[in-house]
Amino acid sequence: MGRLRSRVLGAVGAATVAVLLSSCGTPSSLAPIDNTAAYSKYNSMTGTGRHDSLVEEAKKEGRLVVYTTSANVAAKVAPAFEKKYGISVSVYRATTETLRQRILQEADAGRPLNDVVETNDIEMAILNERGLLGEYVNDIPVDERARLPFMVGAYFIATLPVHNTGLVKPADAPRELSDFTDAKWKGKLALEKGDENWYLSVYRYYREQGMSKADFVTMMKKIAANSRQVSGHLTSHDLLKSGEYSVFVTDFLHYVTAREPGAVDYAPVVGPVNLQVLGAVPMRGAEHPAAALLWSDFYLTDAQPLLNNVSGIPTNPSAVPGYRPLLPDDDQVMVEDWRTLLTDGATWSTAYGNLLAGKDPVLPNGAS
């Protein structure tokens, strides 16, 4: 779905990449594990009692295997977890699609070999439908928008227009998405080809504001006609900085905040903004269930400053010293419709692809 993730394998701590890969080579010889009872026990606990019990048991387990889509997990979060608890962490990092395929293949062969999965809401929903996720309950003060039926998100990825401040004068800076229909933006915009989740949020927003389907289609066709199609958010963000185009309409906010300021800007916010929920969830068949739960708690507490502005927008800002909100608290900022994407994602992908290709239809049949 256009999620930019490098296809690399990272490992941290005492366990090596070779050990992790060799252990993943024979999943068919492993019996399935169901940690429902263990998770239920710890999920009923809160505060210091929960934390201390998890630490005691996790230290006995001794290690943890995390599958993730985030480079920040291997670079910062895992080392911080190891330093605090002395528990070895092995990290396998891949694209969202590759990660899902690996987990499903391992499940079909016996059981997944990871204790925790860190990925986005849609991928989690798919894994949940297969019954592969463990139940995770906590009393950590997390943004309620991040509490989904199958996960508690640790951060949001915000997709929104970002402009190159060297190419767009303050007086010309867009104030709303419809500004991009103007002919003056011809050839100066970029749209990422895999962002049907953003497209669905844009559609929902304007329909809720009372815009007709016909007017929405007209607006988006004009914007698409002014845009070039690009692939890969990080590469496309770098091209924005280099001046290949003036505005990356579907950029990621954390690519702006995580890098040197000045070259690009996202203010004023041009809505609607799509928020994708990402987080860490213990696997139902985790070999190290206490460590998995401890990691998930850590992800929502100690790891929040490490995720802030680098991976995305933290869902527990109270854990981030001096936290400063980057987005307005209004109806322009929308958590993506993961339910529709789960059931009808392919039709929205086709419709968005048609929009970029200048073909019809640009809305799925039956879109409300």
Side-chain angles (χ1 to χ4, degrees), residues 214-227:
D215 287 346
F216 176 82
V217 167
T218 297
M219 178 183 73
M220 293 308 302
K221 283 186 174 182
K222 288 182 178 179
I223 293 173
N226 286 339
S227 305

Side-chain angles (χ1 to χ4, degrees), residues 70 73 77 117-121 124 136 138 140-143 145-148 151-157 276-281 295-309 311-320 323:
S70 172
V73 169
V77 181
V117 57
E118 186 276 346
T119 188
N120 65 48
D121 45 19
M124 288 291 195
Y136 176 59
N138 64 70
I140 298 168
V142 172
D143 188 324
R145 296 174 298 178
R147 291 191 180 275
L148 306 184
M151 71 182 293
V152 180
Y155 61 100
F156 300 111
I157 287 182
Q276 185 175 60
V277 184
L278 294 93
V281 178
W295 172 277
S296 296
D297 285 357
F298 184 84
Y299 218 53
L300 295 174
T301 53
D302 294 46
Q304 289 286 287
L306 304 177
L307 300 171
N308 183 35
N309 293 341
S311 293
I313 300 170
T315 60
N316 179 15
S318 65
V320 181
Y323 178 77

